[in-house]
Amino acid sequence: MSAYFHAEDCKIDDLAALCSQTLQRDSVPIATDICQNVPIYAVQALDLEDPALLAEWAAVLHTGPGIIVLQGAFADTAPIDRASKIYRDIIAAEKAAGTANADHFAAGTNDRVWNSLQKLCLRDPDTFAAYFGNAALAAASTAWLGPAYQMTAQVNLVYPGGAAQKAHRDYHLGFQTADIAALFPAHVHDLSPVLTLQGAVAHCDMPIESGPTKLLPFSQAYRPGYVAWRLPAFRAYFEAHFIQLPLAKGDALFFNPALFHAAGPNTSRGIDRMANLLQVSSAMGRALENVDRKSMCKALFPVLRGVDATTRRHAIAACAEGYSFPTNLDSDPPIGGLAPETQAALFHRALDESMSQAEFDKALDAQAARKRS
């Protein structure tokens, strides 16, 4: 077994063998139905606190097809309608302010609301309580991540004519370049999917022509997938074998973040496809201590001017924040990639560019300000 994954080790036949599986009915006894290898659950008929249900969902997400659909997750869609109006108001306000955002996996006329969780809560806490007080969303999050999970959300609004996304995997390792992903040991590739859960709440009816998410069941089990998903052969396989499921307003879809997936093109004539994309994180993705790394970087900067490259690299790794997230994607967008510049990368760049202490301090302060919500 390889300790690291490399592009040359990625074999389409291995992915195809996984994706040729068929979900057996007896492996999802609580499911209402199975459609294209995806178990469908009619939420109003479920006991959302039943440990057997949560265990079934976890097994589907982990070793099964990797996807669950919760029909009627919102029996009352009034909170969705109220939230939709607020999100459209936010989009209009951000466009007027010149800060509108687009989808980072697709070109076209898509609109985004980054951190729709916080923006909804601050604008209308009553609607937030009705929306995120939803028991089905909580049950799915708990089934995969356990208690004390951390919710985040981003609205994606795709108008008729909106382009499809390219096949990809998601946060954590899915937001790194292939070269950086390959630097992480294989067991970290196995760990990344259990740190987050991907979900989407349908804010309108989504027939296939509106472009609901394209999904490749069982693909989350392909271990080198964080290195493979950008390779042309793997994207071609995805396009030849993906499935799509229509959703109704108030349905929710959850899937393993390692699943190969991509939003479809909106070929409808009049459907503005709005989904609130949920990215739920494990409570355990945190360091033991609070560390003021910005102050440490400022103090260490003059010392590292004259040291050898190896000492410099390791000292920066111990001192600076080497990860782009969490951040404020409105003010700290991923320019030129999927992740903003890290504090460690800024430190290296400052030394390479022979910045003065004052210039480096200013750059650190500006970076920290961009990250603040």
Side-chain angles (χ1 to χ4, degrees), residues 24 29 36 79 81 105 113 237 257 260 268 312 318 341 353 356:
Q24 300 302 312
Q36 299 184 82
D81 292 336
F105 279 113
V113 179
Y237 182 89
F260 284 45
S268 74
R312 176 175 121 175
E341 184 178 46
E353 295 177 2
S356 67

Side-chain angles (χ1 to χ4, degrees), residues 303-317 348 351-352:
V303 177
L304 295 189
R305 289 183 183 278
V307 303
D308 63 272
T310 299
T311 299
R312 176 175 121 175
R313 183 172 69 253
H314 296 328
I316 290 175
H348 281 288
L351 290 169
D352 291 342

Side-chain angles (χ1 to χ4, degrees), residues 82 86 117-133:
R82 297 201 303 270
I86 292 167
L117 185 85
Q118 176 179 312
K119 291 171 181 175
L120 177 63
C121 186
L122 296 182
R123 282 187 177 232
D124 190 334
D126 288 333
T127 296
F128 180 93
Y131 190 108
F132 284 102

Side-chain angles (χ1 to χ4, degrees), residues 7-341:
E8 58 267 25
D9 302 323
C10 298
K11 309 297 182 186
I12 282 290
D13 288 347
D14 295 337
L15 176 66
L18 289 169
C19 296
S20 66
Q21 298 176 76
T22 300
L23 178 64
Q24 300 302 312
R25 189 67 180 87
D26 61 4
S27 67
V28 286
I30 306 176
T32 308
D33 194 9
I34 296 174
C35 182
Q36 299 184 82
N37 269 332
V38 176
I40 312 296
Y41 296 85
V43 168
Q44 301 313 308
L46 301 176
D47 175 0
L48 293 171
E49 296 184 357
D50 180 4
L53 174 67
L54 303 191
E56 182 169 308
W57 286 356
V60 170
L61 292 167
H62 189 208
T63 57
I67 312 152
I68 57 175
V69 171
L70 308 188
Q71 284 184 336
F74 285 78
D76 176 9
T77 59
I80 289 180
D81 292 336
R82 297 201 303 270
S84 293
K85 182 180 184 308
I86 292 167
Y87 293 143
R88 285 184 178 274
D89 289 345
I90 292 170
I91 288 170
E94 291 181 347
K95 282 184 174 180
T99 58
N101 297 290
D103 187 343
H104 58 179
F105 279 113
T109 58
N110 304 356
D111 279 322
R112 279 267 183 171
V113 179
W114 296 119
N115 196 0
S116 61
L117 185 85
Q118 176 179 312
K119 291 171 181 175
L120 177 63
C121 186
L122 296 182
R123 282 187 177 232
D124 190 334
D126 288 333
T127 296
F128 180 93
Y131 190 108
F132 284 102
N134 181 280
L137 304 187
S141 300
T142 302
W144 187 239
L145 301 168
Y149 54 82
Q150 307 164 71
M151 181 68 70
T152 64
Q154 308 85 34
V155 164
N156 199 21
L157 177 57
V158 183
Y159 304 100
Q165 292 180 332
K166 295 180 179 179
H168 60 278
R169 283 181 162 185
D170 268 332
Y171 190 72
H172 288 260
L173 282 180
F175 278 23
Q176 303 300 322
T177 65
D179 289 344
I180 291 177
L183 297 176
F184 286 87
H187 68 269
V188 177
H189 288 241
D190 297 333
L191 173 65
S192 184
V194 300
L195 291 175
T196 58
L197 176 66
Q198 298 300 121
V201 176
H203 276 233
C204 64
D205 289 344
M206 295 183 182
I208 297 301
E209 61 266 26
S210 71
T213 303
K214 301 188 291 187
L215 307 158
L216 186 60
F218 298 101
S219 60
Q220 84 284 358
Y222 184 63
R223 294 184 68 216
Y226 288 108
V227 174
W229 66 258
R230 292 176 177 84
L231 299 175
F234 282 80
R235 281 188 158 157
Y237 182 89
F238 173 86
E239 292 299 331
H241 295 89
F242 72 81
I243 66 162
Q244 284 178 288
L245 298 170
L247 299 175
K249 183 168 68 173
D251 289 350
L253 169 78
F254 286 93
F255 56 91
N256 186 309
L259 193 87
F260 284 45
H261 66 282
N266 187 345
T267 61
S268 74
R269 294 192 176 183
I271 301 173
D272 293 349
R273 191 184 83 234
M274 179 184 283
N276 200 15
L277 309 180
L278 309 181
Q279 199 161 69
V280 196
S281 292
S282 166
M284 297 182 181
R286 312 184 195 214
L288 179 65
E289 295 181 310
N290 288 322
V291 178
D292 185 354
R293 298 191 183 276
K294 186 176 74 167
S295 295
M296 291 171 60
C297 288
K298 290 180 178 181
L300 186 64
F301 182 70
V303 177
L304 295 189
R305 289 183 183 278
V307 303
D308 63 272
T310 299
T311 299
R312 176 175 121 175
R313 183 172 69 253
H314 296 328
I316 290 175
C319 172
E321 175 57 65
Y323 200 47
S324 300
F325 305 103
T327 193
N328 182 335
L329 286 166
D330 283 314
S331 53
D332 187 32
I335 303 298
L338 299 179
E341 184 178 46

